[in-house]
């Protein structure tokens, strides 16, 4: 059993006039040119790295200078913000006052209800005592005298 020579594959690729090494170099060159084209596209696109770096260095994103703080637009924004903060704080204070007022109302109602519970408990106790006294009196009246029998009363 003999094997066919392996150099026949190399020979066939060289036979076409292009060696394997040359074809690999061509593929690498094409890949590099495609990469450089995509890098150029990224730098010109809004979402690319170059565009992001340029936006970070844009004057609008930098810290405001003292000249900007003196502008009318800045003053108007500050006034609007100050009014909004004042309004927010006022609403917060009003909400706290409303909550405190509700707490006070509930405390007063609770005290009234507790006083009513005490009053009703006393009334219940008095009525219970009256009922038990009346029931005891009925039981005493219903019993015959100790020496007499019920049949002896009837002639």
């Amino acid at each position: 059993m003999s094997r066919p020579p392996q150099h026949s594959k190399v020979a066939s690729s060289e036979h076409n006039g292009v060696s394997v090494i040359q074809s690999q170099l061509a593929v690498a060159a094409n890949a590099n040119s495609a990469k450089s084209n995509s890098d150029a596209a990224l730098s010109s696109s809004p979402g690319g790295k170059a565009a992001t770096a340029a936006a970070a260095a844009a004057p609008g994103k930098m810290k405001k200078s003292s000249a900007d703080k003196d502008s009318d637009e800045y003053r108007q924004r500050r006034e609007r913000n100050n009014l909004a903060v004042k309004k927010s704080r006022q609403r917060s204070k009003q909400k706290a006052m409303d909550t405190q007022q509700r707490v006070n109302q509930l405390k007063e109602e609770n005290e009234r209800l507790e006083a009513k519970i005490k009053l009703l408990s006393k009334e219940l106790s008095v009525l219970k005592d009256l009922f038990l006294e009346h029931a005891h009196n009925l039981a005493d009246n219903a019993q015959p005298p100790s020496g007499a029998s019920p049949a002896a009363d009837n002639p």
Side-chain angles (χ1 to χ4, degrees):
M1 289 197 181
S2 68
R3 291 186 190 174
Q6 294 200 3
H7 64 280
S8 65
K9 288 184 182 178
V10 175
S12 65
S13 64
E14 288 179 7
H15 183 267
N16 292 338
V18 179
S19 71
V20 175
I21 296 172
Q22 288 175 340
S23 64
Q24 288 178 350
L25 287 175
V27 170
N30 286 339
N32 284 339
S33 68
K35 184 176 185 267
S36 65
N37 286 342
S38 68
D39 287 347
L42 281 177
S43 65
S44 65
S45 70
K49 291 179 183 178
T52 306
K61 300 288 182 184
M62 297 176 77
K63 192 171 184 179
K64 297 187 191 279
S65 65
S66 61
D68 289 340
K69 290 184 177 181
D70 294 335
S71 71
D72 289 337
E73 181 186 355
Y74 178 79
R75 286 184 194 155
Q76 288 174 351
R77 280 188 283 139
R78 291 302 313 145
E79 284 179 26
R80 282 196 307 260
N81 183 262
N82 289 343
L83 288 174
V85 168
K86 184 185 276 187
K87 194 175 181 181
S88 174
R89 288 177 182 155
Q90 184 62 35
R91 280 192 303 255
S92 179
K93 285 179 184 178
Q94 184 63 43
K95 187 176 179 181
M97 288 178 7
D98 291 345
T99 302
Q100 187 60 45
Q101 184 179 5
R102 179 74 175 139
V103 166
N104 292 338
Q105 288 174 346
L106 290 172
K107 282 182 178 179
E108 289 175 7
E109 183 180 1
N110 194 30
E111 290 172 2
R112 282 193 305 269
L113 290 172
E114 286 178 355
K116 189 173 183 178
I117 287 171
K118 285 182 181 179
L119 179 68
L120 290 172
S121 294
K122 286 181 183 178
E123 186 178 345
L124 177 65
S125 178
V126 168
L127 290 173
K128 196 178 204 182
D129 289 343
L130 283 174
F131 176 77
L132 291 174
E133 184 180 334
H134 180 69
H136 184 57
N137 287 340
L138 284 177
D140 287 345
N141 289 337
Q143 289 181 357
S146 59
S149 68
D153 285 345
N154 211 355

